[in-house]
Amino acid sequence: CGSCHGLESMAESSTKPCIVLPGLYGLLVQLLLFACCIGTLIAKKVVEGGERTWFQFGLDSSKQLIGAGWIHLLNLLCAELLGSQMGQGDECEWYWLNIILDTTLGVLIEYLLLRVLTDALNTVLEEGAQDFRTGSYWRGGEFQVIMYAKQLGLWLVIVTFM
């Protein structure tokens, strides 16, 4: 029947597995989401006022953005691997599960890991641990790239193991 053909093609398209990066469209969606994140951060700084300079805010935010980008890439990779290796679920279902865990329980775990690792560094390194103190980037009135890099490295380790 003529109308049955349309139903058959709809059924076929609905059984196709979902993939997390569906070509150019998927990349455009990713870019739109990134622009929304940047816009939200700018709005946050404007509302926050002058407590931190734009430079300080940029440093703090860049660690969050880089960490979020890194965990996003890891989540995409995990979703693709689990989607192809597990007997159940497609990439999108695994990605959704990763995101829900990251944005709920994961935030608490990351916070606790940051606290535990920072305390451990303070115990082991004593004065040297100052480089790892979140938001502290200056020594003797001068910006220290190494302090930023150490804080970023610590954060990337934390989000990697989340």
Side-chain angles (χ1 to χ4, degrees):
C1 80
S3 62
C4 294
H5 179 67
L7 292 175
E8 288 171 2
S9 64
M10 281 178 39
E12 287 174 11
S13 67
S14 68
T15 60
K16 289 181 184 176
C18 177
I19 55 174
V20 290
L21 280 178
L24 179 61
Y25 176 76
L27 292 175
L28 290 174
V29 169
Q30 298 294 314
L31 287 173
L32 178 63
L33 290 172
F34 179 73
C36 289
C37 289
I38 297 298
T40 301
L41 285 171
I42 291 170
K44 180 183 185 310
K45 172 59 180 142
V46 170
V47 169
E48 179 183 275
E51 188 175 316
R52 292 183 281 181
T53 66
W54 277 97
F55 184 67
Q56 172 91 28
F57 184 81
L59 292 170
D60 294 342
S61 297
S62 69
K63 290 186 295 186
Q64 292 296 315
L65 281 171
I66 292 167
W70 176 242
I71 195 68
H72 179 65
L73 290 175
L74 291 177
N75 281 340
L76 290 172
L77 178 63
C78 286
E80 287 182 4
L81 288 173
L82 291 171
S84 66
Q85 300 297 317
M86 302 299 282
Q88 295 180 337
D90 60 27
E91 293 178 13
C92 296
E93 292 169 328
W94 287 108
Y95 183 76
W96 177 252
L97 181 62
N98 283 338
I99 290 298
I100 292 300
L101 287 173
D102 284 346
T103 58
T104 56
L105 184 59
V107 173
L108 174 63
I109 292 171
E110 289 167 350
Y111 172 76
L112 293 174
L113 283 172
L114 182 61
R115 293 297 306 249
V116 167
L117 290 175
T118 302
D119 289 346
L121 288 168
N122 282 331
T123 301
V124 172
L125 299 176
E126 296 172 1
E127 277 302 308
Q130 292 301 315
D131 287 1
F132 292 94
R133 200 174 110 230
T134 300
S136 178
Y137 310 109
W138 287 268
R139 187 178 296 124
E142 290 193 25
F143 173 69
Q144 301 294 312
V145 174
I146 192 68
M147 293 172 80
Y148 173 82
K150 287 179 180 179
Q151 293 170 38
L152 176 60
L154 179 63
W155 183 242
L156 291 176
V157 166
I158 289 169
V159 298
T160 298
F161 288 103
M162 180 44 237

